Amino acid sequence: MATTMATASSDTIRVRRTAVRAWVGWFVLPATALLLVFFFYPLVIIIWRSFSDPQVGLSNYTALLNDDVSVRVLARTLYTALIVALCTLLISYPYAYAMTKAGRRARGVMTVLVLLPFWTSLMARNFAWYLLEQRGGLIEQLLAAVGIPGVVLLGSVTGAAVAMVQVMLPYMVLSLYSSMENIDRRLLDAACSLGAPRLTAFRKVYLPLSLPGVLSGFSLVFIMTLGFYITPTLLGSPQQALVSQLIASRVNGLLDFGGGGALGAVLLVITLLVLFTVGRTVRPAAALPQAVDRG
Amino acid sequence: MQRTKLLAIPLVGTVMSLLAACGGSAGTTATPQALTFVSYGAGAYQNGQQQAWVDPFQKQKGVKITIDAPSDNAKLKTMVEAGKVTWDVVDTDPFFAMKYCGKYTDTIDVGDLKPNFPPGTLSDCAVPAAFFGLIFMYNTNTYGTNPPTRLADFFDAKKFPGKRSISGSIPTNGRLEAALLADGVAPDQLYPLDIKRALEVYGRVKPDIAFAQTYGQQQQTMVGNQADLALLPSARAYSVLKAGGTSWKPVWDKVPVTWDALVIPKGSPHKDLAQQFIQFASQPAQAQGFANLSGIGAANTAATGSSTGLMAEVDPFTAERKPKQVLLNADWWAQNIDNVTAAWTNWMSG
């Protein structure tokens, strides 16, 4: 590749580049068209209705903010998403780290293990959790065996959260891995050779360098958990409803399209805020302030 | 060259799907002799309707009826608002149909069938399709020696500790009435419903309630011994017994009775045929045929027949159980359904 590039005249390269640039426009067309027609257009309608149904104005939003239940459910949803993202991170970090250290074959096996549930239907996994979490199910039996009887996760927000962590695991592991894979391990050796104990080297060098992966994985899981519908519906309880369940009951029960849209819009704003914050934070330079200062 | 070809495939696909999407809105030229009937999806209920109503009507009229599911008020509203109604006859709750009569649902002429429905159940836009009783059941595995005997026991966690299974959907199936009856309100004093009081009665056992998101889930909960007490529609009780949940026994106290209705969405392109279909389904023979197949109460009072076997065990519509029935007040519900929905949702998710 490099040799052909070197032998080709600069003119040819320029022509090729322009051709590629022209083609790029075509490449993104199908995705753009799909997004415009099936995502942005409905989204605009939903948001418009949240301001215009039943009457034009902010009534849906003021009603939402003055409604104890909506606010409580929103808070519960944010809290649950935060816990789920944290748990997923704690479980995934050592795993992704081990993947970078493993040999080629072991890494292949580990990747497949992460992706295996990913390839399984979400519904199948939800029903599997349903059986595990139900009264007399495996989880209750196991906990009873170690002296904690009577724990039925099914029908609680905890039950839904446990399943969501499992569903989200691949997203987190892969985000972490792709970022950790690019960390130059010689930096750790350098730190050690300068007298840092291994743990300090990890804390001061490796951890900050892996931060972009942590943040992107965390925000991905957090955002996806915010809007999760099917798992909380099946494994959770309306008593501890999450915002997606509340939207469904607004739209289907009350036919309150405006109110449901307002809830959706608030969720969207929260999501965008998270993305924006993460987008500003995730820069290798920002992640490694000391290194930059000293450099 | 290779690349160009590869790229062409998704491009052509996108363009074609876009064209198809645009074409759909312009060319809705269905043949007049077709009808779309919407029910709740394969199961004893819809299968009963298909055998007792849809199949014979197709044969008799030589029309093609498509069955769609599930019935969904939000979807119906969207169709009518968008002016693209593809549903002709929809099985749904009568209160929605009454509240939005003339707006989302169309008026229906039932001809000489008018006196054939229980008083107060037929309205301009909603024709009763099937009756249900909300019955109280208990699990004999849990209370074999000391079974509950009255509705009030459902709300007494001290005397009858255990998980209580009810639907978490909007309580149009008599759940509020059941709580008030259990609390001592006389059947003729029920309306206007004291929503707050009914929710307070449920509040006594709220930590023990397992809310089911769908009736299917409630059946699953009961058959799988995940609950000890339950309030559920009679047709669902029959499904529980049929699916092997025979440890469940009914308690015959007062039974709130509600019904499902057939409605015609406003702007249905086949309104005449839809009306004929509803009149056909409401005939005594068809109503009874549906009842026999699915364990519901026949909508037509002239229908005669009796349930047998498992169905009889949970049939609130037999002659000797008739005095226990308490019919829901459709007018009150049509006016108050939004209040109830808001109060119930807030109470439940709070």
Side-chain angles (χ1 to χ4, degrees), chain B residues 13 33 37 51 54 58 119 121 123 129 136 142 154 160 167 182 192 212 223 263 272 315-316 319-321 334 347:
Chain B
Q33 292 302 80
F37 171 61
Q51 282 183 49
V54 173
Q58 287 193 118
T121 63
S123 62
F136 173 24
T142 321
F154 185 88
F160 295 93
S167 161
V223 175
V263 310
D272 281 347
D315 182 356
E320 82 265 21
R321 289 172 193 154
W347 171 78

Side-chain angles (χ1 to χ4, degrees), chain A residues 23 26-27 29-30 37 49 69 72 76 130 134-135 233-234 238-239 241 245 249 251-255 257, chain B residues 7 11 14 18 72 74 77-78 81 96 170 206 209 211 213 217 225-228 341 345-346 348-350:
Chain A
W23 270 112
W26 288 99
F27 279 133
L29 184 75
V37 176
R49 285 193 81 154
V69 174
R72 211 175 322 148
R76 184 189 292 141
Y130 191 98
Q134 71 178 1
R135 188 154 86 169
T233 303
L234 213 60
Q239 238 165 320
Q245 289 160 281
S249 75
V251 172
N252 286 320
L254 286 169
L255 299 184
F257 288 18
Chain B
L7 182 69
L11 259 182
T14 314
L18 282 175
D72 182 338
K77 169 179 159 157
T78 312
E81 282 183 346
F96 161 79
I170 307 156
K206 197 175 177 192
I209 296 179
F211 289 100
Q213 316 262 2
Q217 194 185 11
N225 280 312
Q226 300 287 312
D228 309 299
T341 306
T345 312
N346 288 357
M348 191 172 61
S349 359

Side-chain angles (χ1 to χ4, degrees), chain A residues 129 133 153-164 231 235-236:
Chain A
W129 278 110
E133 291 184 357
L153 292 179
L154 186 66
S156 69
V157 74
T158 319
V162 168
M164 285 193 272
T231 301
L235 302 172

Side-chain angles (χ1 to χ4, degrees), chain B residues 152-229:
Chain B
D153 294 338
F154 185 88
F155 302 98
D156 191 340
K158 266 209 189 100
K159 255 172 84 183
F160 295 93
K163 266 272 175 262
R164 281 129 166 96
S165 168
I166 59 171
S167 161
S169 64
I170 307 156
T172 49
N173 66 358
R175 263 168 283 149
L176 295 183
E177 285 81 353
L180 293 170
L181 290 166
D183 208 32
V185 179
D188 56 346
Q189 303 287 310
L190 270 176
Y191 296 94
L193 285 187
D194 188 341
I195 305 172
K196 197 164 158 260
R197 179 169 169 189
L199 293 178
E200 275 164 12
V201 174
Y202 275 104
R204 293 176 203 159
V205 290
K206 197 175 177 192
D208 298 319
I209 296 179
F211 289 100
Q213 316 262 2
T214 62
Y215 287 121
Q217 194 185 11
Q218 189 173 22
Q219 286 168 219
Q220 174 73 36
T221 305
M222 292 172 71
V223 175
N225 280 312
Q226 300 287 312
D228 309 299
L229 298 169

Side-chain angles (χ1 to χ4, degrees), chain B residues 12-217:
Chain B
V12 169
T14 314
V15 170
M16 275 169 59
S17 59
L18 282 175
L19 282 176
C22 301
S25 56
T28 42
T29 48
T31 52
Q33 292 302 80
L35 205 61
T36 302
F37 171 61
V38 185
S39 187
Y40 292 94
Y45 189 81
Q46 182 181 297
N47 297 351
Q49 290 174 323
Q50 181 166 5
Q51 282 183 49
W53 302 350
V54 173
D55 292 346
F57 186 76
Q58 287 193 118
K59 230 184 216 159
Q60 198 186 57
K61 297 271 174 182
V63 297
K64 168 90 190 105
I65 298 184
T66 311
I67 298 183
D68 198 1
S71 168
D72 182 338
N73 291 341
K75 197 164 166 180
L76 197 158
K77 169 179 159 157
T78 312
M79 278 184 185
V80 176
E81 282 183 346
K84 286 180 193 128
V85 178
T86 58
W87 288 353
D88 302 308
V89 178
V90 182
D91 186 325
T92 183
D93 75 87
F95 316 126
F96 161 79
M98 290 167 75
K99 181 177 158 82
Y100 294 108
C101 189
K103 190 170 180 197
Y104 300 135
T105 52
D106 213 341
T107 50
I108 303 166
D109 179 17
V110 292
D112 52 5
L113 284 166
K114 256 183 201 152
N116 283 26
F117 300 98
T121 63
L122 177 72
S123 62
D124 290 345
C125 285
V127 179
F131 283 84
F132 311 92
L134 186 75
I135 57 176
F136 173 24
M137 294 187 94
Y138 68 96
N139 194 334
T140 49
N141 290 339
T142 321
Y143 310 107
T145 49
N146 175 34
T149 53
R150 53 207 188 101
L151 210 41
D153 294 338
F154 185 88
F155 302 98
D156 191 340
K158 266 209 189 100
K159 255 172 84 183
F160 295 93
K163 266 272 175 262
R164 281 129 166 96
S165 168
I166 59 171
S167 161
S169 64
I170 307 156
T172 49
N173 66 358
R175 263 168 283 149
L176 295 183
E177 285 81 353
L180 293 170
L181 290 166
D183 208 32
V185 179
D188 56 346
Q189 303 287 310
L190 270 176
Y191 296 94
L193 285 187
D194 188 341
I195 305 172
K196 197 164 158 260
R197 179 169 169 189
L199 293 178
E200 275 164 12
V201 174
Y202 275 104
R204 293 176 203 159
V205 290
K206 197 175 177 192
D208 298 319
I209 296 179
F211 289 100
Q213 316 262 2
T214 62
Y215 287 121
Q217 194 185 11

Side-chain angles (χ1 to χ4, degrees), chain A residues 44-155:
Chain A
V44 167
I45 293 180
I46 289 170
I47 290 177
W48 166 241
R49 285 193 81 154
S50 76
F51 287 106
S52 67
D53 183 1
Q55 70 263 346
V56 178
L58 292 168
S59 61
N60 283 319
Y61 290 88
T62 49
L64 193 155
L65 292 175
N66 288 321
D67 172 21
D68 272 4
V69 174
S70 300
V71 173
R72 211 175 322 148
V73 169
L74 263 173
R76 184 189 292 141
T77 308
L78 288 169
Y79 178 72
T80 308
L82 198 69
I83 298 285
V84 167
L86 272 175
C87 291
T88 317
L89 177 64
L90 287 179
I91 296 174
S92 306
Y93 197 93
Y95 193 92
Y97 182 75
M99 271 173 78
T100 61
K101 301 234 357 175
R104 181 185 283 248
R105 182 168 296 180
R107 187 186 307 145
V109 173
M110 289 179 87
T111 313
V112 170
L113 279 179
V114 171
L115 289 178
L116 212 55
F118 204 48
W119 295 330
T120 321
S121 140
L122 181 60
M123 284 317 283
R125 276 183 288 162
N126 279 329
F127 282 116
W129 278 110
Y130 191 98
L131 295 177
L132 290 172
E133 291 184 357
Q134 71 178 1
R135 188 154 86 169
L138 196 65
I139 292 176
E140 193 194 1
Q141 287 177 19
L142 280 178
L143 287 175
V146 297
I148 318 167
V151 180
V152 180
L153 292 179
L154 186 66

